[in-house]
Amino acid sequence: MPITSTILDVALDRPDQLALVGTEDQLSYGELVEDSRVSFAVVDSLHRAQPEPPTPAVETRGIPITAVSTASAFFTARLIAGLAGFRAVSATIDPRWPLDHQIGVIRTTGIGLVISDSPALAEALSDTGWTGTVISPAAFAAREDRVRRQGAQAPAPAVRPASEPFLMLFSSGTTSNPKAFIKTRQQYRDNVAVSSAHLEPLPGVATLAPGPVSYSLTLYAIIESLATGGSVHVADAFDPFTIGSRIAAESITRIVAVPAVVKALAEAADRSRERFRGLELVVTGGANLPASIRSALAAVLPDTRLISYYGAAEIGFIGDSRDGDGTWIHVYPTIGAQIRDESGAEVAEGELGTLWIDAAACSDGYVAGTTDAVLRGPDGWASVDDQGRIVNGLLQLAGRAGDIAVTGGHKVSLPEVERAFDTVPHLGEVVAIALEDANLGSVIALVIEGGAEAEPAADGSPGLPAGKAALLEHARARLAPQFVPRRIYVLERLPRTVGGKIRRSETVDIIMSGQGHRL
């Protein structure tokens, strides 16, 4: 179901139906079509004006690449949606990435135009000898206004060939150099076919997708909503104080958000339940969903359904869970899944190993120059090194390769250790780590972020709502013996990425340096 085909159809039949809605701006489907002609005219002129344009990555087949790097979700969404109907490859770059990561992907992929409000990025790119163009969103909008006054719009958007490159996406660039990959139009159509069959982005449905469009979850929500004739409502960030009024005023019935936002949503709904009564479905992804979050949402909004999906940006949607903590995944019927060992052989049922996926929406591979990692194997199946096991046809995730520790000859999933502590009241955030041990190879340790609700210990270290003995008893009741932490530490603050994810490897370094308080 191509995005441009649906946009043009809805613009013809229901031109006044809302397509994109921000906190201050909005576009109907009819307006989006006209807006796209103006946007592409500006983009095309900026690319053509370059005396020596950067050479785009070979994977784009010569199509110039336009990147948007701004905190404005509405601006980014309208550019991505607008360029979809033209010969263009679009990309979103998280402005919170380290500057050297942003420069690295721009130069190695051959991005020719960057729309950014960061003077530091523009100056740094110029210093490297990059021959592309950086323009601020305000300057870009001023050029759009001139095009409108002059009537120099581009031709109308049209459905593009299925094999044509459409989007350049990136793996997370907060802690390591981002890996780039291309999605063709057909791969995105295949992805929308899967999500529309299971995650309910139905025609006419108003979906709220708060957060940066550089997050693949937010970007997917925008694309799938427009590809199915819905309305997508965006916000630069989740604001618990205004979310209820937006849901009520804009008749939002579906939200797509990361688990941390779902938790905040439940807390906001608990303060003002009436404003949230129209919310029918919450879709979350990007991490395992703690059972406590599902329970909290069900307690305040019992009629609101919650789907926790699993997917990888490179591969697409893979499956979902509709109860519990989201660790047992029902793989979608059109998706193939296998667990393999280091040699590539399929393992016995229930054994941990590397997850391999067969999906039509999967990218062909990573963009050369950004990584030497291999996405697809010789048989066409793909892996992003997620670990897991399959039991009775259900997939249980165990984290990435770095999330598996070997202790005393046993493989231990560190995320599985963490999930066992989700139900400890007021415990706060935890991270499981593996520490070197001369006898066992490594030992499992639990590091807890000291909570404000707990009294400090006598020595002044951060306190906990439960003592060591109670925590170990809780773990032994829920985990196999080799999974139970042998050491427990407390840190005042756990290290995180700019996106809020806990940095496991940095936590190890902190503990090894003696900064943590051992219980």
Side-chain angles (χ1 to χ4, degrees), residues 301-384:
L301 297 174
D303 296 327
T304 302
R305 294 173 295 122
L306 178 58
I307 300 175
S308 173
Y309 78 77
Y310 164 61
E314 297 95 322
I315 296 172
F317 295 103
I318 294 170
D320 69 46
S321 176
R322 307 191 179 210
D323 54 31
D325 62 4
T327 56
W328 288 102
I329 304 295
H330 291 266
V331 178
Y332 296 136
T334 56
I335 306 298
Q338 291 182 353
I339 303 296
R340 302 177 182 177
D341 62 19
E342 292 84 352
S343 70
E346 193 169 1
V347 304
E349 179 169 318
E351 288 189 16
L352 277 174
T354 301
L355 174 64
W356 287 81
I357 296 294
D358 180 26
C362 184
S363 295
D364 295 329
Y366 294 108
V367 172
T370 65
T371 181
D372 57 3
V374 176
L375 177 61
R376 287 181 180 262
D379 59 359
W381 287 55
S383 177
V384 292

Side-chain angles (χ1 to χ4, degrees), residues 56-236:
V58 65
E59 291 85 356
T60 69
R61 303 176 194 174
I63 300 175
I65 309 168
T66 300
V68 185
S69 181
T70 174
S72 172
F74 182 84
F75 181 90
T76 306
R78 79 173 182 87
L79 259 293
I80 296 294
L83 296 182
F86 299 91
R87 184 178 180 271
V89 171
S90 302
T92 59
I93 296 176
D94 193 332
R96 299 174 303 173
W97 284 357
L99 187 60
D100 60 331
H101 288 186
Q102 297 181 53
I103 294 169
V105 298
I106 291 169
R107 288 183 56 82
T108 57
T109 61
I111 290 171
L113 172 62
V114 180
I115 306 170
S116 168
D117 41 23
S118 169
L121 177 60
E123 182 179 352
L125 283 169
S126 177
D127 290 344
T128 67
W130 178 70
T131 58
T133 302
V134 178
I135 186 171
S136 71
F140 187 91
R143 285 176 175 263
E144 289 181 306
D145 288 340
R146 286 199 295 271
V147 168
R148 292 187 184 95
R149 291 195 300 269
Q150 296 167 359
Q153 297 98 325
V159 177
R160 306 293 305 175
S163 62
E164 187 175 88
F166 170 38
L167 287 178
M168 176 178 285
L169 304 175
F170 305 98
S171 64
S172 174
T174 54
T175 58
S176 59
N177 289 325
K179 300 189 292 287
F181 52 96
I182 293 290
K183 287 288 186 184
T184 67
R185 296 175 185 276
Q186 185 59 52
Q187 287 164 352
Y188 236 110
R189 293 167 190 171
D190 290 330
N191 207 28
V192 171
V194 175
S195 68
S196 62
H198 301 282
L199 304 179
E200 304 179 31
L202 305 175
V205 165
T207 294
L208 174 64
V213 182
S214 55
Y215 287 3
S216 59
L217 177 142
T218 309
L219 179 60
Y220 280 142
I222 292 167
I223 298 295
E224 70 177 3
S225 293
L226 295 176
T228 53
S231 302
V232 61
H233 301 239
V234 296
D236 301 343

Side-chain angles (χ1 to χ4, degrees), residues 20 61 84 91 140 214 242 273 282 312 314 430 438 476 481 503:
L20 289 172
R61 303 176 194 174
F140 187 91
S214 55
T242 62
R273 300 192 185 192
V282 174
E314 297 95 322
V430 303
R476 293 187 186 109
R503 290 175 166 167

Side-chain angles (χ1 to χ4, degrees), residues 45 86 207 229 417 447 486:
S45 67
F86 299 91
T207 294
V417 175
V447 184
R486 288 175 175 259

